[in-house]
Amino acid sequence: MTMTADAAVPTRTAQRRPVRLPAQGILLANVALVAVGTLVLNVDLFSRASLSTLTPVIGVMVLIALGQAFIIGTGGIDLSIPATITLVGIIVLKSASGDNAALLKAIALALVVCLGIGLVNGLLVEVTRLDALVVTLATGQLIAGATRMYRGPVLAVSNVPSDLSDFSRKSVGQVSVILLVALAVAALVAIWLRYHTSGRRLAASSVARVAAENSGLAATRQRLVAWMTGSFIVGIGAVVLAGQIATPDLTLGAPYLLTPIVAVVLGGAAISGGRVRPGATALGALFLMLLEHILRVRGYSSGVALAFQGLVLGVGLTLVATSKKFRWSPISAKRGGTPSAPSTQDPAMNQQNQE
């Protein structure tokens, strides 16, 4: 009886899940950045002025990064996101023409266009198996050209409807409503991916396409849903961004080419594809926006901020790749050394128990 109980111990140990380092690491990095900014660099991150400036841009970045995370989860990268953001802003601006009564129609049109862009990109990448980098670079140029033709030389109005700008500039306490919307979207996405059947199928198809197809899942269809979902979330971010700026122009999406990718990587995502982690992606976006704000307050130029983002991307990729080789679990500790004693003694124990 004693031998049987002892032999069962390695089985229970083998079922322990390893500690995930990337999400915990980016959380600690945020805490450290806030501590350094507040205590060492003397930047008041919690003042009324800082919160009114920070929370809207953090909210927009969380939404855009979350949309990019769905694309990176399939093993691709969407370089058409800046052009999509600009197109959404121009659609809201021109279709509504400053009329609050036409606002919902304009937003619905913009989001439907985002779904169409995601579908086209997904079909080109997932069905024809073209390279995502090349496809989205090409579609981004097409979207940019279509945006300029749709906008025309002169617009009758230059402001979005007042209802949208008023909503995007609201705050609860000192926190922008845009950040609250972003957190709500991230929470809904996390619940969907974790607890709903369709979300789990999408996650499984993104992580391993061949395995999903062998399991009977329509992997291509699920990955198309990932592309469309990512573009739809980007559209939500673009709508609130247009409302926050109030006068969107052809440069609206320019800042959102590299930074969302960096945020997703900092959240522990692999460029080759994998699970979407909304919480970790939001923390990555938070880190980048805090870093940019601290550098701006300290008087550094935008070039320095871009250089820091490139440095953070390189360090983040290195840390994510390194953390995958080291899992803090009893299993990885045993596999790294000599074979454990229980594994060599199991056959003898089983023979004695049978006798």
Side-chain angles (χ1 to χ4, degrees):
M1 297 296 292
T2 304
M3 291 182 180
T4 304
D6 293 339
V9 173
T11 303
R12 290 196 300 267
T13 304
Q15 292 177 352
R16 295 179 184 175
R17 298 181 64 183
V19 178
R20 295 190 181 277
L21 298 181
Q24 296 178 351
I26 189 59
L27 176 59
L28 293 176
N30 275 290
V31 174
L33 183 61
V34 171
V36 170
T38 304
L39 301 177
V40 179
L41 300 178
N42 196 26
V43 177
D44 190 359
L45 296 172
F46 301 100
S47 65
R48 183 182 183 89
S50 293
L51 290 176
S52 63
T53 302
L54 264 175
T55 53
V57 296
I58 291 174
V60 172
M61 186 56 67
V62 168
L63 288 169
I64 305 302
L66 187 59
Q68 183 69 266
F70 274 91
I71 312 304
I72 293 179
T74 65
I77 291 180
D78 190 355
L79 298 183
S80 67
I81 282 180
T84 301
I85 294 173
T86 302
L87 176 59
V88 168
I90 298 302
I91 288 176
V92 172
L93 182 64
K94 186 171 182 178
S95 180
S97 298
D99 185 8
N100 290 322
L103 176 60
L104 291 179
K105 180 180 178 180
I107 293 176
L109 175 62
L111 294 179
V112 169
V113 169
C114 288
L115 288 174
I117 292 173
L119 178 61
V120 171
N121 284 335
L123 288 173
L124 291 174
V125 174
E126 303 299 339
V127 177
T128 64
R129 303 297 178 94
L130 296 175
D131 184 74
L133 197 68
V134 177
V135 166
T136 57
L137 183 62
T139 55
Q141 293 298 315
L142 290 173
I143 295 168
T147 302
R148 290 179 180 272
M149 291 187 291
Y150 172 73
R151 179 180 181 271
V154 180
L155 288 174
V157 294
S158 58
N159 293 329
V160 300
S162 58
D163 284 354
L164 178 60
S165 58
D166 291 343
F167 172 79
S168 299
R169 293 176 178 179
K170 283 183 180 179
S171 60
V172 178
Q174 304 299 327
V175 179
S176 170
V177 70
I178 296 178
L179 180 56
L180 298 179
V181 169
L183 294 177
V185 171
L188 289 174
V189 169
I191 293 172
W192 174 51
L193 293 175
R194 185 177 181 87
Y195 296 107
H196 198 271
T197 303
S198 61
R200 292 197 297 269
R201 288 176 179 173
L202 185 146
S205 301
S206 297
V207 172
R209 179 173 189 160
V210 176
E213 290 175 347
N214 293 336
S215 300
L217 296 177
T220 300
R221 185 177 63 190
Q222 298 296 332
R223 292 164 75 89
L224 285 175
V225 171
W227 279 88
M228 295 175 67
T229 303
S231 295
F232 185 81
I233 295 175
V234 167
I236 296 175
V239 168
V240 294
L241 175 62
Q244 200 263 336
I245 292 186
T247 56
D249 56 17
L250 295 176
T251 64
L252 182 66
Y256 299 97
L257 178 61
L258 173 65
T259 311
I261 300 173
V262 181
V264 176
V265 172
L266 289 179
I271 297 296
S272 58
R275 293 186 180 277
V276 177
R277 297 185 176 91
T281 300
L283 289 174
L286 173 63
F287 179 87
L288 291 177
M289 293 299 98
L290 286 176
L291 178 62
E292 182 179 347
H293 179 76
I294 291 173
L295 292 175
R296 188 186 300 115
V297 171
R298 297 298 297 176
Y300 292 99
S301 65
S302 59
V304 174
L306 290 175
F308 264 99
Q309 286 185 11
L311 178 63
V312 168
L313 176 59
V315 174
L317 283 171
T318 303
L319 292 178
V320 169
T322 304
S323 67
K324 290 181 178 180
K325 298 179 182 179
F326 299 97
R327 295 292 187 181
W328 291 357
S329 68
I331 304 174
S332 59
K334 290 180 180 180
R335 288 178 179 175
T338 57
S340 58
S343 60
T344 58
Q345 295 177 0
D346 281 344
M349 289 182 180
N350 292 335
Q351 183 177 0
Q352 291 177 5
N353 291 334
Q354 290 176 359
E355 293 175 355

